């Protein structure tokens, strides 16, 4: 496995680059915007293709690198389903698996620091964001923080992991890099409480100053969505209502870019083909399945995904490959559902290519 713990000295943020092999897919957890060039340089040096960028929660102390990484690499941006961010490409929920080639993270919903805080567990380690820090815990006094919920997330979820599980936090202000669950249970001063009420009182008495960047970072981080209007202005977008109107027409084929788990959870548009986003470029380039389908049948490709981000990037790739009639469903399946578009029920997705 390739594993890099990267540090932003201004906000004391740790970001994590993960991949299973040189030449393979990579993901990054909690990237910082000022370090995006460094991440991309490192990915090039290690011969990695960045395919997912994940934030553990909406950050208040730095601006996320999610949007910049998506714009520069067309990677999929991921946050938890509870996040108030305007648009990410994919939202995950407790119990979901977050996967790339050779890497499989279990999603744990661990609210308390914020109400959109998630942790991500691999076989031998857990990325705890700001829920559990080394000899500390994330503050709970803003962004819908809740000390009671955090106690439950830490004692009810994270401390139930095996003692030897490595703890990789979202920040450290003292220079520590890694701990273990057992070590934190024994040595973390915030966890030496006898009850949830004692923990709540301890957290309420911290009286910390607000982060310096908070007034800038929170609004910026809530607007990381891709500007889908640019795609619409080029005539490459259908609104959900327009897409409902063309459903079933013989000259249009709908292409679902989401992952299998998303299809099973949220349902699919009837009659659509499944071409997962990571295989899209291969499929739309010369000799690829979708390229051949569009050219031999003259059908218009109508891409869709969860919220319209992956499909907006897909339509750009298809247009670049010369498929000039291709378009996407603006706002994705969320907009389709809001418009009352028909769905195949969750759990029974349509056929795959
Ligand atoms: Fe935070």
């Amino acid at each position: 496995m390739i594993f890099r713990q990267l540090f932003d000295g201004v906000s004391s943020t740790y970001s994590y680059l993960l991949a299973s092999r040189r030449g393979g897919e990579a993901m990054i957890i909690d990237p910082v915007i000022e370090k995006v060039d460094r991440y991309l340089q490192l990915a090039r040096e290690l011969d990695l293709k960045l395919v997912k960028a994940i934030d553990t929660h909406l950050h208040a102390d730095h601006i996320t690198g999610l949007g910049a990484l998506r714009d520069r690499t067309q990677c999929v941006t991921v946050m938890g389903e509870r996040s108030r961010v305007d648009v990410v490409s994919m939202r995950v929920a407790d119990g979901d698996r977050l996967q790339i080639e050779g890497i499989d993270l279990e999603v744990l919903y661990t609210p308390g620091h914020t109400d959109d805080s998630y942790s991500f567990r691999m076989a031998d380690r857990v990325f705890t964001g700001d829920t559990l820090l080394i000899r500390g815990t994330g503050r709970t006094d803003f962004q819908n923080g809740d000390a009671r919920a955090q106690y439950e997330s830490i004692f009810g979820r994270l401390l139930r992991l095996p003692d030897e599980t490595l703890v990789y936090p979202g920040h450290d202000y003292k220079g520590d890099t890694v701990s273990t669950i057992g070590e934190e249970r024994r040595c973390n001063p915030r966890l030496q409480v006898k009850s949830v009420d004692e923990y709540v009182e301890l957290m309420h008495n911290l009286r910390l100053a607000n982060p310096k960047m908070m007034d800038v970072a929170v609004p910026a981080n809530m607007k990381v969505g891709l500007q889908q209007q640019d795609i619409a202005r080029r005539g490459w977008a259908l609104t959900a209502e327009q897409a409902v109107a063309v459903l079933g027409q013989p000259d249009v084929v709908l292409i679902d870019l989401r992952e299998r788990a998303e299809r099973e959870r949220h349902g699919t548009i009837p009659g659509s083909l499944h071409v997962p986003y990571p295989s899209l470029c291969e499929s739309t380039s010369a000799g690829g399945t979708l390229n051949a389908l569009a050219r031999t049948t003259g059908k218009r490709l109508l891409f869709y995904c969860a919220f319209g981000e992956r499909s907006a990037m897909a339509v750009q790739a298809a247009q670049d490959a010369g498929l000039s009639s291709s378009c996407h469903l603006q706002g994705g399946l969320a907009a389709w559902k809001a418009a009352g578009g028909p769905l195949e029920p969750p759990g029974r997705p349509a056929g795959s290519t």
Side-chain angles (χ1 to χ4, degrees):
M1 187 176 81
I2 295 171
F3 174 73
R4 292 288 186 279
Q5 183 176 33
L6 301 153
F7 188 59
D8 171 52
V10 175
S11 60
S12 298
T13 299
Y14 284 129
S15 309
Y16 300 95
L17 183 72
L18 299 169
S20 62
R21 65 177 179 91
R22 255 188 99 133
E25 293 182 349
M27 70 164 77
I28 190 162
I29 299 173
D30 285 336
V32 175
I33 194 163
E34 287 85 1
K35 300 290 183 194
V36 160
D37 283 341
R38 173 64 188 134
Y39 306 143
L40 296 178
Q41 181 192 356
L42 183 58
R44 272 194 305 277
E45 288 165 353
L46 300 176
D47 192 20
L48 299 175
K49 177 177 168 47
L50 185 68
V51 296
K52 281 184 181 155
I54 298 109
D55 266 357
T56 51
H57 63 289
L58 189 81
H59 297 287
D61 58 353
H62 67 269
I63 297 178
T64 175
L66 252 58
L69 286 169
R70 177 206 54 228
D71 291 344
R72 292 179 60 178
T73 69
Q74 286 72 55
C75 69
V76 170
T77 54
V78 184
M79 288 188 78
E81 63 176 359
R82 303 293 185 100
S83 173
R84 288 169 293 133
V85 66
D86 59 344
V87 183
V88 282
S89 306
M90 183 186 294
R91 291 180 188 268
V92 290
D94 188 68
D96 282 355
R97 316 297 303 199
L98 186 54
Q99 295 168 320
I100 62 167
E101 174 198 1
I103 301 275
D104 185 355
L105 303 184
E106 179 189 358
V107 180
L108 306 174
Y109 179 46
T110 51
H113 169 60
T114 64
D115 60 356
D116 72 337
S117 287
Y118 290 76
S119 299
F120 298 96
R121 183 193 179 196
M122 275 179 73
D124 66 342
R125 65 196 65 198
V126 60
F127 302 97
T128 54
D130 294 358
T131 302
L132 177 61
L133 306 175
I134 298 173
R135 308 299 192 264
T137 57
R139 61 191 298 170
T140 56
D141 55 340
F142 57 75
Q143 288 187 286
N144 298 322
D146 181 336
R148 205 165 281 278
Q150 190 177 52
Y151 179 93
E152 183 52 38
S153 293
I154 294 172
F155 284 87
R157 303 293 303 272
L158 296 174
L159 294 190
R160 292 192 177 176
L161 299 174
D163 272 6
E164 61 275 18
T165 306
L166 298 168
V167 172
Y168 285 102
H171 294 285
D172 193 86
Y173 305 95
K174 311 172 297 297
D176 290 323
T177 54
V178 62
S179 181
T180 67
I181 288 292
E183 192 180 315
E184 289 310 306
R185 181 188 294 105
R186 284 187 293 107
C187 306
N188 189 322
R190 297 242 179 111
L191 306 186
Q192 309 311 308
V193 290
K194 296 191 176 52
S195 69
V196 62
D197 290 334
E198 192 181 330
Y199 184 74
V200 169
E201 191 181 335
L202 186 157
M203 295 305 286
H204 283 178
N205 287 334
L206 290 177
R207 308 207 187 287
L208 302 167
N210 280 345
K212 287 190 221 75
M213 283 283 289
M214 184 170 166
D215 293 340
V216 176
V218 170
N221 289 339
M222 286 180 66
K223 290 192 186 310
V224 299
L226 184 146
Q227 294 303 309
Q228 295 182 31
Q229 300 90 321
D230 294 347
I231 296 287
R233 270 194 286 276
R234 288 177 213 151
W236 299 345
L238 295 187
T239 64
E241 290 75 12
Q242 290 170 327
V244 169
V246 302
L247 183 67
Q249 289 186 4
D251 57 340
V252 174
V253 56
L254 278 105
I255 312 293
D256 185 357
L257 300 167
R258 295 171 302 156
E259 298 186 1
R260 188 169 57 83
E262 295 176 277
R263 288 158 54 80
E264 290 176 355
R265 174 182 291 235
H266 299 290
T268 62
I269 297 177
S272 53
L273 300 177
H274 185 208
V275 180
Y277 179 72
S279 60
L280 191 269
C281 273
E282 197 181 321
S283 197
T284 52
S285 57
T289 311
L290 284 180
N291 191 296
L293 175 73
R295 289 187 190 283
T296 57
T297 66
K299 287 180 193 260
R300 184 177 201 195
L301 305 182
L302 171 51
F303 297 103
Y304 77 95
C305 59
F307 307 104
E309 288 228 337
R310 279 167 284 184
S311 59
M313 295 189 284
V315 76
Q316 181 70 62
Q319 292 282 344
D320 290 347
L323 306 178
S324 58
S325 70
S326 56
C327 57
H328 88 125
L329 168 57
Q330 190 165 324
L333 201 71
W336 177 269
K337 283 183 179 174
L343 283 175
E344 297 275 354
R348 285 173 41 207
S352 301
T353 58

